[in-house]
Amino acid sequence: AAPRAAWAGAVLLVGAASAYGAWRAHDVGARSSASPSLTVGIVQANLGVLEKRTQGIVGHERHLAQTRELLADGPVDLVVWPETAYVRGIRRPLPVSGRLVVADLGVPLLFGGTSVGEENGRRVKSNSAFLIGADGTIADAYDKNLLIPLAEYVPLGTLLPALGELLPEVQDFAPSGETPALRLGAHRIATPICYEAIRPELVRRMVCSSSADLIVTLANDAWFGDSQEPWMHLALARLRAIEQRRWLVRATNSGISALVDPTGAVVARTGVLERASLRGTVHAMDGTTLYGTLGDCPGWIALLAVALALVRAP
């Protein structure tokens, strides 16, 4: 006999899930609209990977000029530059003046750069996100936790210094274990850098530990050219907006920069390998989510249930 009961149950479940999804999306949208708003501008300068390193002054001037063009179309509450947009080192500890970076812009600026400090008498560099406030001061920074091997550090480089000499193009960054938010007035911004945005457990920790109400991720995907990688990176980053029910701002050097709402919808975006600017309104949202509370526990429980079922199967 045809399994009509199973089919009917499956249709009912799919229908219920779709109805719940539509209601939930509407509910999240309404809560977002009622939350405080920020006008954000993103600058995508489309610099080559090595061009950024060897022509730091030229790259900085290009970001400044493009930001002035953006501001000519109207004021914004925050300008965002991508990962390592400013390649000359920012000395730590903070606070320090950000006037050399922000110049005459007169607007809060969140940007990627290099931190330079000392630990136990040794020079230490970090891949960092900085926020220059309206007063021109850099008071907050986030240092990248998850570094990319053979790009941002040499595996076993401390034990075998000769490896670093064989790989001169590899950066010598130090990882951080802290996840502070950057403060813009009353707002707290989580700033995962590059592929950190595809790691759900890290972004969850960043948001929950600091009660961040906005996610701004900085990246440089110029390494991959006109490939599928920028689209994959954006698709994975969108999941963080859904999991945390936060607006996500994605600023990249060569694309794809985007504004993503808390349902994961891409509200606006740029293209790949193009010089572009993006402007839009985001909303600072608070509160916790199911994933923020439970993390990956449901997945591990499901895996355990499957394993037990397989063991008990005849």
Side-chain angles (χ1 to χ4, degrees), residues 73-92:
D73 293 332
V76 298
D77 299 305
L78 177 67
V79 171
V80 184
W81 293 354
E83 179 186 13
T84 59
Y86 187 78
V87 297
R88 286 172 286 181
I90 304 294
R91 292 290 302 180
R92 305 288 280 271

Side-chain angles (χ1 to χ4, degrees), residues 9-202:
V11 170
L12 184 62
L13 285 173
V14 170
S18 299
Y20 173 78
W23 170 81
R24 185 72 175 120
H26 180 270
D27 178 64
V28 170
R31 193 162 63 85
S32 172
S33 298
S35 300
S37 63
L38 291 166
T39 302
V40 175
I42 302 173
V43 171
Q44 179 177 302
N46 193 30
L47 295 165
V49 174
L50 296 181
E51 184 182 5
K52 289 180 63 179
R53 295 186 187 177
T54 59
Q55 302 182 36
I57 295 177
V58 173
H60 182 215
E61 289 296 332
R62 188 181 298 186
H63 281 90
L64 288 172
Q66 201 166 326
T67 303
R68 294 185 186 104
E69 296 172 4
L70 174 72
L71 296 176
D73 293 332
V76 298
D77 299 305
L78 177 67
V79 171
V80 184
W81 293 354
E83 179 186 13
T84 59
Y86 187 78
V87 297
R88 286 172 286 181
I90 304 294
R91 292 290 302 180
R92 305 288 280 271
L94 303 179
V96 297
S97 173
R99 293 296 181 187
L100 287 177
V101 182
V102 77
D104 61 342
L105 296 181
V107 63
L109 172 65
L110 197 161
F111 69 99
T114 302
S115 294
V116 181
E118 288 187 5
E119 284 186 10
N120 301 321
R122 185 173 65 91
R123 185 173 183 266
V124 176
K125 295 193 306 179
S126 300
N127 184 353
S128 306
F130 298 97
L131 179 60
I132 302 177
D135 62 352
T137 300
I138 302 176
D140 291 326
Y142 163 74
D143 300 326
K144 191 174 182 182
N145 282 219
L146 306 178
L147 301 180
I148 301 175
L150 301 179
E152 294 176 316
Y153 77 100
V154 178
L156 303 178
T158 304
L159 298 175
L160 302 171
L163 287 177
E165 298 175 3
L166 294 174
L167 302 166
E169 294 297 333
V170 178
Q171 297 290 316
D172 183 23
F173 289 135
S176 174
E178 300 180 350
T179 56
L182 307 188
R183 294 166 295 173
L184 178 64
H187 304 299
R188 299 164 304 284
I189 306 173
T191 53
I193 298 174
C194 195
Y195 92 113
E196 288 185 325
I198 74 172
R199 298 291 293 271
E201 74 284 355
L202 175 66

